[in-house]
Amino acid sequence: MKRKNIFKGIALLAVGALTACGGNREQAANETAAAETADTRVKVHTTVARLQTVDDVSTYTGNVQADVINHITPTMPGRIERIYVEIGDRVTKDQLLVQMESSNLQQQTTQLANLERDYERYSALLEVGGIAQQQVDQIRTQIDVLKAAIKNLQDNTQLRSPISGVVTARNYDNGNVFAQQPILTVQQLNLLKVIINVSESYFTKVRVGMKVDIRLDVYGSEVFAGRVSLIYPTVDASSHTFGVEVAIDNRDMKVRPGMYARVTLNFGTGESIVVPDVAVQKQAGANDKYVFVVQNGVARYRRVEPGQRLDEQCEILSGIEPGDEVVTAGHTRLIDGAAVQVIQ
């Protein structure tokens, strides 16, 4: 009898142990499932997009150009007798630069001298009634026509500089025959310009005389002063931009035509949305910029239009609103609609 009770006790203990073990397993499985569910959420750091007063600044790029460029060419083909200047030479207005072949000019100059002598004789004969007035008038007309022709030949034989500037190109040597290319190019370098294309949204804000900052890649962060000298009167329908000419005072001759320039215009101050620049990501294989916004524990993709950089902050022109919670770290595993866990 005692042995039966012992066996019964052992059986009850075994059943209890199995029941307890099964309960622990169920609890452990639930805890594991919960842990696995929590682990599927991407851990991220976030910040709130806020409004900040910033300068309304835009930067445009362009190439530096001479304000005035003159190509030295005759109006007709001919042989070049002598070129008096080289590339880099400074020239003054009306300075003789090129002497073209002058045989035709000499012939017509001699012919003019003969006509003028004839005119003097005819005038003397007219006074004594030995010739008609019509003959004198005819020779006077010939002289006037020939003088005009000689003036044209002189302008195309002795080529002078129309401006004070620097010779920037020479395309022929002495003895060559002029064809199509200019013999010389003279550029005015003490006043230069950059032509930029500005968004039409700023059309009412740009003014002639407006001061601008100019940076040239070759001079690093050095800032050159400029001013708006001309505003184009029309807006390009395809790009929705308008042309603006910016003048550069180049009295120290540090700037040269062809240099790459970055022109910064300041249109005043205003309030803009600002986020840390690490929040703004670049779409692989495209120029699109985007951020992730956290809403109810879910990451949402937002394409944005960045503005200017402000130290470690970035201005956002469109795509998000003030107060949006944007992701600043943890982008690697994020996709639109992913569950996230915000780490403080």
Side-chain angles (χ1 to χ4, degrees):
M1 187 72 177
K2 187 178 291 185
R3 292 178 62 184
K4 288 182 178 180
N5 290 336
I6 290 172
F7 287 138
K8 185 177 181 179
I10 292 171
L12 290 172
L13 287 172
V15 171
L18 289 170
T19 303
C21 184
N24 289 339
R25 285 177 181 172
E26 184 178 355
Q27 181 180 356
N30 291 337
E31 289 176 354
T32 300
E36 288 177 352
T37 301
D39 286 343
T40 60
R41 294 183 297 170
V42 181
K43 295 178 175 60
V44 297
H45 293 274
T46 62
T47 190
V48 175
R50 58 189 176 86
L51 284 175
Q52 179 178 314
T53 300
V54 298
D55 290 332
D56 187 2
V57 174
S58 293
T59 299
Y60 305 90
T61 59
N63 293 316
V64 177
Q65 304 176 32
D67 189 54
V68 179
I69 302 175
N70 281 122
H71 300 296
I72 308 303
T73 60
T75 59
M76 60 191 73
R79 186 172 299 279
I80 301 169
E81 286 188 359
R82 185 175 179 185
I83 300 174
Y84 294 99
V85 293
E86 298 289 344
I87 293 176
D89 286 352
R90 294 179 182 274
V91 299
T92 58
K93 185 177 180 180
D94 294 327
Q95 179 179 334
L96 179 61
L97 304 181
V98 180
Q99 176 67 52
M100 302 293 292
E101 185 179 20
S102 58
S103 57
N104 192 18
L105 175 62
Q106 292 171 358
Q107 290 174 3
Q108 297 213 26
T109 301
T110 301
Q111 185 179 351
L112 175 62
N114 292 333
L115 282 174
E116 287 178 336
R117 285 194 295 269
D118 289 343
Y119 179 76
E120 291 177 1
R121 289 197 302 270
Y122 282 21
S123 297
L125 289 172
L126 180 63
E127 291 179 0
V128 297
I131 194 173
Q133 179 68 48
Q134 183 180 2
Q135 291 178 283
V136 176
D137 292 342
Q138 286 176 347
I139 197 169
R140 179 72 261 175
T141 300
Q142 291 178 29
I143 289 174
D144 291 342
V145 170
L146 191 55
K147 281 184 175 180
I150 289 173
K151 176 65 170 61
N152 183 56
L153 278 173
Q154 287 175 335
D155 292 340
N156 285 278
T157 301
Q158 296 181 331
L159 307 183
R160 300 180 180 274
S161 177
I163 60 171
S164 295
V166 177
V167 178
T168 58
R170 171 174 168 164
N171 299 311
Y172 297 87
D173 292 322
N174 296 335
N176 290 157
V177 175
F178 165 73
Q180 293 181 342
Q181 279 188 307
I183 299 174
L184 300 169
T185 298
V186 177
Q187 299 189 27
Q188 191 179 66
L189 300 186
N190 61 331
L191 185 62
L192 303 175
K193 66 183 178 183
V194 181
I195 300 176
I196 58 176
N197 295 312
V198 179
S199 170
E200 68 175 332
S201 60
Y202 291 119
F203 190 80
T204 59
K205 296 183 179 181
V206 181
R207 296 284 184 271
V208 172
M210 183 177 179
K211 294 182 179 180
V212 301
D213 291 337
I214 300 168
R215 291 174 175 82
L216 306 166
D217 285 2
V218 68
Y219 290 119
S221 60
E222 184 176 355
V223 178
F224 294 82
R227 61 177 180 83
V228 174
S229 57
L230 179 65
I231 301 171
Y232 288 25
T234 59
V235 175
D236 186 283
S238 58
S239 65
H240 295 284
T241 61
F242 62 99
V244 174
E245 287 189 10
V246 174
I248 309 172
D249 189 345
N250 193 36
R251 280 175 289 186
D252 57 5
M253 303 299 285
K254 291 182 68 174
V255 186
R256 289 290 186 271
M259 287 183 175
Y260 188 73
R262 304 177 192 275
V263 181
T264 301
L265 280 69
N266 191 327
F267 299 105
T269 59
E271 283 197 331
S272 295
I273 300 172
V274 173
V275 299
D277 58 3
V278 293
V280 182
Q281 303 294 303
K282 183 178 183 296
Q283 188 75 41
N287 289 324
D288 294 344
K289 302 295 180 64
Y290 66 92
V291 301
F292 279 105
V293 174
V294 176
Q295 294 177 335
N296 301 321
V298 175
R300 295 299 181 189
Y301 174 94
R302 293 285 185 272
R303 182 178 173 181
V304 296
E305 181 186 355
Q308 58 185 311
R309 288 195 60 180
L310 309 165
D311 296 327
E312 296 181 352
Q313 303 291 310
C314 181
E315 178 187 21
I316 303 297
L317 302 178
S318 65
I320 59 175
E321 299 294 332
D324 283 347
E325 186 178 7
V326 297
V327 175
T328 57
H331 300 86
T332 308
R333 296 171 55 195
L334 280 184
I335 59 173
D336 188 39
V340 297
Q341 180 184 358
V342 177
I343 306 297
Q344 301 298 330

